[in-house]
Amino acid sequence: MGKIFTIGSARKTAEEFFNLLKDSGVTKIIDVRLKNNTQLLGFAKYPDIEYFTREILHGEYFHDKKFTPSEKILSRYKKNQIDWEGYEREFAELMNYRDIDVYIADRYAGQENYCLLCTEPTPEFCHRRLVAERIRDVLGVEIVHL
């Protein structure tokens, strides 16, 4: 069984972040954040994250917008207009609308050593966990949260 990894950049130093990835054998970062280039992201903002991935991990970086939440869903959650359960439901509907299972099978089957990147420090209330679970269900891989 293959593995996929997930990681959040918040509350980690660049050293902690990249050592976790390197120690896990990650060679490709799949960025699932809606916005990947704001100043608040520190070392994990684009294009810096692409450079660090290439230079430190000797790997690739890809911003996969098919896995991002919509601005509307994210905004409603941040404004407490929906709770986490509502967020999960709306995000699942969005993934179904995007025909994400077919996309996963076409784009990610056979790929190894990649990690889904988001901001939240832990996966419990982060959509990267939901994306990882969809990938697991489609490809039969194991999920490792770093």
Side-chain angles (χ1 to χ4, degrees):
M1 174 184 281
K3 289 182 186 175
I4 63 167
F5 301 88
T6 81
I7 194 166
S9 59
R11 297 190 199 138
K12 290 177 184 70
T13 65
E15 182 177 6
E16 292 168 328
F17 179 84
F18 286 104
N19 280 338
L20 283 169
L21 294 168
K22 195 171 8 174
D23 293 347
S24 298
V26 169
T27 57
K28 187 170 191 174
I29 292 179
I30 309 299
D31 193 336
V32 299
R33 299 173 295 183
L34 180 62
K35 296 180 181 173
N36 68 343
N37 59 358
T38 68
Q39 291 299 321
L40 297 174
L41 298 174
F43 69 86
K45 78 175 173 81
Y46 180 83
D48 297 342
I49 187 72
E50 183 177 47
Y51 171 81
F52 294 139
T53 301
R54 186 176 60 249
E55 294 299 315
I56 297 170
L57 300 177
H58 308 289
E60 300 174 69
Y61 166 88
F62 179 67
H63 187 210
D64 197 332
K65 295 178 184 179
K66 288 272 197 178
F67 292 142
T68 65
S70 68
E71 185 74 51
K72 180 181 175 184
I73 294 171
L74 189 58
S75 176
R76 287 170 30 91
Y77 179 66
K78 286 184 175 184
K79 292 177 181 175
N80 294 314
Q81 295 172 343
I82 55 173
D83 61 8
W84 180 252
E85 194 174 280
Y87 182 95
E88 283 187 339
R89 185 174 48 258
E90 290 185 22
F91 187 72
E93 290 170 4
L94 178 63
M95 292 293 95
N96 291 337
Y97 175 77
R98 291 177 178 169
D99 207 8
I100 208 69
D101 293 349
V102 171
Y103 177 75
I104 290 167
D106 290 346
R107 176 97 166 93
Y108 289 96
Q111 288 198 37
E112 298 179 357
N113 302 326
Y114 62 92
C115 184
L116 304 177
L117 165 65
C118 202
T119 305
E120 294 296 323
T122 61
E124 292 82 13
F125 298 103
C126 182
H127 82 283
R128 76 176 184 270
R129 175 182 58 82
L130 306 177
V131 172
E133 289 171 356
R134 288 295 283 257
I135 294 171
R136 178 199 60 207
D137 293 347
V138 172
L139 301 180
V141 295
E142 176 187 351
I143 301 168
V144 178
H145 299 291
L146 301 176

